[in-house]
């Protein structure tokens, strides 16, 4: 089995009422999530991300299509499918009067994990919470509570972990700590499905990325292939003296004056070589004091694909 999750022709339409017509949430969605990957599922609010996750978890009934989690069809083997997945929801929910150790023991009991097989301290150690094992959960910082949510989702040792907007409202330092924990889990073989609005962290972490818009998958590719869809770059040359007007030879490359001494060029590396631009600048008698570049990123691709 090469794939952790297989979704084929998945559809979901919510029933309408007297006041509102039926709503199509998912339309012919197909996704393959390879084992051992960190897979990003991105899309605007209301695009259908949470519906997919809730169907995988058995919380929402699909209209049609098939979903397999770790080889288990959610209709034919629902118990096994649910056991193969751990979900970290957007909202932090915990009982403030229990310690992390107690919460994980309770969660393990709810999943039917025998006491001798529970990994409570191993999970707390793995997520950097070992020294807080017996503290009141209400005394933990926001980042620690997020990591505790990851530990709760892992008590039954699922091979697939779903992180639904896990860093919402978390500061930069705590976000980095959480991602360090996720990377470590992934290196140990865990498959991670991530939804996030922080596109820079999806670009940094994910092996593959799918983008959903209006209930349809508009892209599903390896990260590098997806980023190559926009072949645009910006390059700025800070010159050795002020530029009053763009010379004709540089205007041919689409040069723009930016400030007193900077020329901005927007170009496609597949069509124009930087060396040609540099040569044209020098032929005009300018010296180059500094160079900076700006490549297209995941945000550019995301906006292009979800603008409609």
């Amino acid at each position: 089995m090469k794939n952790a999750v297989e979704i084929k022709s998945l559809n979901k339409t919510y029933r309408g009422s007297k006041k509102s017509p039926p709503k199509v949430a998912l339309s012919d969605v197909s996704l393959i999530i390879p084992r051992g990957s960190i897979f990003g599922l991105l899309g605007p609010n209301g695009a259908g991300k949470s519906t997919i996750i809730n169907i995988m978890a058995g919380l929402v009934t699909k209209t049609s299509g098939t979903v397999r989690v770790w080889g288990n069809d959610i209709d034919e083997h629902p118990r096994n499918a649910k056991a193969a997945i751990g979900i970290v929801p957007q909202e932090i929910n915990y009982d403030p009067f229990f310690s992390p150790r107690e919460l994980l023991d309770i969660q393990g009991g709810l999943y039917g994990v025998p006491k001798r097989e529970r990994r409570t301290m191993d999970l707390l150690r793995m997520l950097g919470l070992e020294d807080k094992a017996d503290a009141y959960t209400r005394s933990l910082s926001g980042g620690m509570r997020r990591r505790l949510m990851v530990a709760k989702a892992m008590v039954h040792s699922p091979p697939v972990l779903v992180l639904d907007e896990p860093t919402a409202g978390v500061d930069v330092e705590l976000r980095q700590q959480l991602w360090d924990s996720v990377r470590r889990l992934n290196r140990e073989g865990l498959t991670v499905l991530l939804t996030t609005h922080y596109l820079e962290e999806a670009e940094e972490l994910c092996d593959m990325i799918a983008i959903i818009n209006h209930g349809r998958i508009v892209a599903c590719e390896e990260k590098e292939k997806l980023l190559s869809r926009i072949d645009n770059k910006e390059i700025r040359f800070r010159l050795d003296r002020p530029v009053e007007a763009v010379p004709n030879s540089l205007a041919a490359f689409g040069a723009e004056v930016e400030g007193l001494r900077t020329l901005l060029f927007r170009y496609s590396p597949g069509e124009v070589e930087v060396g040609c631009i540099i040569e044209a600048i020098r032929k005009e008698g300018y010296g180059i004091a500094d160079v900076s570049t700006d490549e297209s990123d995941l945000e550019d691709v995301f906006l292009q694909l979800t603008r409609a």
Side-chain angles (χ1 to χ4, degrees):
M1 182 179 61
K2 294 182 179 179
N3 301 317
V5 178
E6 296 179 357
I7 298 173
K8 294 182 181 179
S9 303
L10 182 62
N11 293 277
K12 175 60 183 177
T13 300
Y14 289 100
R15 276 189 257 174
S17 64
K18 293 181 179 179
K19 296 182 179 180
S20 60
K23 175 177 173 53
V24 177
L26 298 175
S27 180
D28 200 30
V29 169
S30 294
L31 287 175
I32 299 293
I33 301 177
R35 291 180 63 172
S37 66
I38 299 182
F39 189 99
L41 179 60
L42 311 179
N45 289 329
K49 303 185 298 295
S50 293
T51 301
I52 292 174
I53 291 171
N54 288 335
I55 289 172
M56 288 171 58
L59 301 175
V60 169
T61 303
K62 60 186 171 61
T63 302
S64 64
T66 60
V67 178
R68 292 179 179 273
V69 181
W70 213 249
N72 301 293
D73 188 290
I74 63 170
D75 294 325
E76 297 175 5
H77 305 286
R79 186 183 292 271
N80 291 342
K82 289 176 183 177
I85 192 171
I87 295 183
V88 181
Q90 295 182 35
E91 303 81 14
I92 297 178
N93 61 64
Y94 64 94
D95 191 318
F97 299 102
F98 285 97
S99 68
R101 188 201 300 267
E102 291 167 335
L103 281 175
L104 295 193
D105 278 338
I106 292 170
Q107 189 79 354
L110 292 173
Y111 272 101
V113 181
K115 284 188 177 182
R116 65 182 179 279
E117 296 178 15
R118 292 177 193 170
R119 303 183 302 136
T120 297
M121 289 309 300
D122 287 341
L123 287 171
L124 292 175
R125 192 176 301 113
M126 187 186 304
L127 290 159
L129 294 171
E130 184 179 14
D131 60 335
K132 301 291 184 181
D134 297 308
Y136 280 125
T137 307
R138 63 175 180 269
S139 70
L140 302 183
S141 68
M144 290 178 179
R145 291 175 188 174
R146 287 283 181 189
R147 280 181 275 158
L148 180 59
M149 295 293 291
V150 174
K152 283 181 66 179
M154 295 289 296
V155 293
H156 58 300
S157 302
V160 180
L161 180 66
V162 177
L163 302 172
D164 191 8
E165 300 286 349
T167 56
V170 175
D171 67 37
V172 175
E173 182 180 358
L174 296 178
R175 189 182 307 164
Q176 194 60 53
Q177 291 175 6
L178 178 61
W179 289 131
D180 287 343
S181 300
V182 171
R183 285 191 185 96
R184 187 162 56 251
L185 291 167
N186 177 249
R187 285 195 298 269
E188 294 175 2
L190 186 71
T191 302
V192 179
L193 171 59
L194 164 71
T195 75
T196 180
H197 284 296
Y198 297 108
L199 299 183
E200 68 279 5
E201 70 185 12
E203 185 172 348
E204 179 185 348
L205 288 166
C206 297
D207 310 310
M208 293 189 66
I209 293 174
I211 297 177
I212 186 170
N213 193 33
H214 300 306
R216 292 181 178 274
I217 299 295
V218 294
C220 182
E221 297 171 346
E222 292 182 359
K223 178 179 63 180
E224 298 305 326
K225 186 176 180 181
L226 187 63
L227 290 173
S228 69
R229 284 192 176 211
I230 297 183
D231 187 27
N232 291 327
K233 290 186 71 171
E234 291 184 358
I235 187 166
R236 289 173 172 79
F237 294 94
R238 187 167 176 269
L239 307 180
D240 59 351
R241 64 180 189 275
V243 182
E244 294 182 2
V246 178
N248 290 336
S249 63
L250 300 180
F253 291 100
E256 301 174 19
V257 177
E258 199 176 71
L260 290 175
R261 298 168 52 185
T262 301
L263 286 177
L264 166 64
F265 295 82
R266 294 185 177 91
Y267 72 103
S268 168
E271 299 175 0
V272 178
E273 292 184 0
V274 176
C276 295
I277 298 175
I278 293 173
E279 185 178 352
I281 291 173
R282 286 177 173 161
K283 280 185 177 179
E284 290 294 335
Y286 291 101
I288 298 172
D290 191 23
V291 180
S292 63
T293 62
D294 183 16
E295 299 188 40
S296 61
D297 57 16
L298 185 58
E299 184 174 350
D300 297 318
V301 180
F302 180 85
L303 292 173
Q304 184 186 68
L305 293 173
T306 60
R307 198 165 282 140

